[in-house]
Amino acid sequence: MNQFSTDVINLGRTPERFDGLVNTPVFRGSTIVVNSFSEWEEFKRNGGVYRHYGRFGAATAKSFESAINALEGGAGSMVFPSGLSACTHALMACVEANSHVLIADNIYGPTRNFADNILARMGVSVEYFDSTNLEALTEKINHRTSVVFIESPGSMTFELSDVAAISAISHQYGAKVLVDNSWATPLLFQPLKHGADISIQSITKYIGGHSDILMGVATANAETYEQLTKTGHLFGETTSPDDIYLASRGLRSLAVRLKQHQNSALTIAQFLTTHPAVKEVLHPALETSPYHDLWLRDFDGSSGVFAFYLKESKPSYVQKFFDSLKLFHIGLSWGGFESLILPVGQAYRTHTNLPKDGYLVRLNIGLESVVDLQKDLEYALKCAEQMLVESVI
Ligand SMILES: *Cc1c(COP(=O)(O)O)cnc(C)c1O
């Protein structure tokens, strides 16, 4: 992560272009006028006049995209109005009717819903596979496969996939590899360097970092960039310059925030590992994780989202646990400064066997004092355990 600490400060900033202002300002605008007829005709010759229109993004967008692209090591990035929008447009850029897509069983739920509803309706055959098992991929991939879409780690159960091996297999069949990289951010993992074709970020999460924007970005390699941006533009996708400004502001503190998220999450994960009410902790950076070796090989650190199974899944016990927390609030999303907890129960899977007993809980470890966070969990677990003892008596 350290290699990027300076980059996140400087990338995408050009004060000399903006009267010395440290940050690229918010540029609003639809129309971009030209000075003369000949300039207009020149635009026509060089890629078309329609490039010179607000929908394609002004300096605010371009500064941010260039920073993300440099971090991901791509040929170019494109911002989208949400993380989901980045996922769906990246998919749309790579599929055609009668093609086949393979999607990891642990993919973000709404991405799955898009594939099952929209892609399927357009005549794309959608199939799921266990992306931690290369044999499952080789069994299902074929010459009609246009996309293999994975998320590593999955954002509910935190299994890692071997992006390099999956990319090598997929490319033999001419399929594009899309990776939802929101958990790691480009600071901890760069999918394109491991062979993927498009890396996707939900900016809403760590890069935004403050739970105040919805935004996404997709970064492509040289062979895929034009395909990605053309599709996004044909759909008329635009992203608010105000949101992009906030995303750029988030990026400046990303390295220090991630360091704190990482350390606190590891402390809490270790604490939970030793707690008698906890069945299992799902965090790839724990030595006990089956994905630990892969994590060491590919990642430069870990972030602050992970999950664990409570041994007990009795509804009254689970409710007592959640309602006894004071610092962790129940809510969707993650990557912000505030700690969150999500009652999952059982993650939805169709091609993977998950434990049937226990109750899955996802944590977003925020930037509060880790001592306070641990105390909060400890207290809530104690309340739930006490209730269990009392109800048995
Ligand atoms: C949240 C999330 C998304 C979608 O991002 P939004 O900005 O909420 O649309 C995509 N992928 C993963 C892994 C996410 O956690």
Side-chain angles (χ1 to χ4, degrees):
M1 200 195 300
N2 285 335
Q3 56 171 328
F4 289 121
S5 295
T6 305
D7 290 344
V8 294
I9 303 301
N10 292 319
L11 286 169
R13 290 199 306 108
T14 45
E16 64 280 8
R17 283 180 61 201
F18 308 113
D19 294 341
L21 287 168
V22 165
N23 296 294
T24 304
V26 176
F27 283 94
R28 299 169 169 285
S30 52
T31 300
I32 301 164
V33 294
V34 298
N35 293 316
S36 65
F37 177 79
S38 58
E39 197 180 337
W40 189 252
E41 292 299 300
E42 182 69 18
F43 281 158
K44 274 191 191 167
R45 279 192 293 277
N46 295 325
V49 283
Y50 292 110
R51 290 270 156 196
H52 296 272
Y53 187 51
R55 203 166 60 222
F56 301 93
T60 316
K62 294 197 164 85
S63 301
F64 180 72
E65 287 168 343
S66 75
I68 296 296
N69 182 54
L71 294 169
E72 293 268 20
S77 300
M78 181 173 178
V79 288
F80 290 91
S82 70
L84 179 60
S85 172
C87 294
T88 59
H89 288 91
L91 271 165
M92 290 304 282
C94 301
V95 295
E96 48 193 273
N98 301 319
S99 69
H100 166 245
V101 302
L102 277 172
I103 301 183
D105 201 25
N106 65 357
I107 205 81
Y108 179 63
T111 303
R112 191 174 187 126
N113 292 340
F114 172 82
D116 288 344
N117 288 281
I118 307 292
L119 291 186
R121 204 204 296 161
M122 292 184 357
V124 176
S125 71
V126 176
E127 221 183 333
Y128 294 89
F129 75 112
D130 175 359
S131 61
T132 66
N133 177 2
L134 294 175
E135 278 171 28
L137 175 63
T138 45
E139 261 169 39
K140 292 188 172 179
I141 197 164
N142 61 61
H143 288 285
R144 276 176 53 232
T145 309
S146 50
V147 171
V148 175
F149 196 153
I150 60 176
E151 183 176 316
S152 184
S155 58
M156 285 289 180
T157 37
F158 303 90
E159 27 321 70
L160 292 188
S161 303
D162 188 336
V163 174
I166 288 173
S167 300
I169 296 167
S170 304
H171 290 156
Q172 284 172 18
Y173 291 83
K176 295 283 188 190
V177 176
L178 278 47
V179 179
D180 187 329
N181 191 31
S182 301
W183 182 87
T185 84
L187 270 57
L188 306 180
F189 183 56
Q190 302 88 39
L192 302 184
K193 293 182 186 161
H194 295 258
D197 299 285
I198 299 182
S199 173
I200 297 160
Q201 292 290 327
S202 168
I203 298 287
T204 311
K205 310 293 162 56
Y206 282 116
I207 297 175
H210 295 73
S211 306
D212 53 4
I213 48 167
L214 283 154
M215 208 180 122
V217 66
T219 305
N221 60 15
E223 300 78 52
T224 323
Y225 177 62
E226 201 186 330
Q227 199 174 332
L228 170 73
T229 49
K230 221 175 177 174
T231 303
H233 289 145
L234 284 170
F235 272 105
E237 280 306 328
T238 72
T239 305
S240 150
D242 294 276
D243 288 350
I244 300 172
Y245 184 89
L246 289 174
S248 305
R249 178 192 258 248
L251 183 65
R252 304 303 167 210
S253 61
L254 180 61
V256 285
R257 283 188 288 111
L258 270 182
K259 221 171 274 177
Q260 168 99 355
H261 285 300
Q262 164 175 279
N263 293 340
S264 297
L266 282 171
T267 303
I268 300 290
Q270 255 131 15
F271 154 70
L272 289 170
T273 311
T274 61
H275 199 287
V278 173
K279 189 172 148 242
E280 193 186 353
V281 180
L282 311 177
H283 189 315
L286 288 182
E287 274 175 33
T288 48
S289 164
Y291 307 103
H292 186 70
D293 289 344
L294 195 52
W295 176 77
L296 281 178
R297 189 193 78 180
D298 287 354
F299 288 72
D300 295 317
S302 54
S303 64
V305 199
F306 68 97
F308 66 97
Y309 279 99
L310 288 167
K311 280 182 190 159
E312 185 57 62
S313 57
K314 224 185 233 179
S316 56
Y317 175 96
V318 173
Q319 183 174 353
K320 186 73 183 171
F321 166 66
F322 278 96
D323 287 345
S324 304
L325 290 161
K326 292 187 175 68
L327 291 176
F328 284 88
H329 293 281
I330 300 175
L332 287 174
S333 196
W334 41 268
F337 54 82
E338 80 291 12
S339 287
L340 294 170
I341 190 161
L342 187 68
V344 183
Q346 290 287 325
Y348 177 74
R349 295 286 182 271
T350 52
H351 289 73
T352 323
N353 290 323
L354 291 179
K356 292 276 178 286
D357 51 341
Y359 188 99
L360 184 64
V361 177
R362 188 182 70 187
L363 292 176
N364 173 57
I365 302 300
L367 301 177
E368 303 90 340
S369 149
V370 69
V371 176
D372 293 339
L373 293 177
Q374 182 168 326
K375 270 190 199 153
D376 201 35
L377 287 167
E378 214 163 4
Y379 174 75
L381 286 169
K382 198 172 89 190
C383 293
E385 291 284 299
Q386 239 161 23
M387 201 203 64
L388 198 65
V389 172
E390 282 160 17
S391 68
V392 169
I393 297 164

